[in-house]
Amino acid sequence: MSDPDRPTLIPGPLAAQEVGVAPATIRKWVQLGHLKAAGKAGRAQLFRLEDVFAAERAARRAR
């Protein structure tokens, strides 16, 4: 059972799909400091969905 106070973490490729960008874009946002991984599962970085949407909004404003 999931904890409602704990955010759901999703892997980079799923995060990319949710905001309609390529997985490489998620990696680029991490490199640029626009997005920070909230956890790891093995080698995969995990992200909070709200952080991904915030990074997407910030990237759109920066254009």
Side-chain angles (χ1 to χ4, degrees):
M1 188 160 152
S2 66
D3 182 351
D5 295 328
R6 224 168 112 208
T8 300
L9 301 180
I10 60 173
L14 182 55
Q17 185 178 351
E18 287 291 325
V19 294
V21 300
T25 302
I26 297 292
R27 292 191 297 273
K28 187 61 146 181
W29 290 346
V30 171
Q31 286 177 341
L32 294 173
H34 299 308
L35 181 61
K36 189 174 188 295
K40 285 195 140 218
R43 290 180 50 202
Q45 292 183 312
L46 301 175
F47 302 95
R48 293 179 347 152
L49 194 52
E50 58 260 34
D51 293 344
V52 176
F53 281 115
E56 191 268 339
R57 285 191 302 274
R60 198 172 335 135
R61 280 194 305 268
R63 283 192 223 159

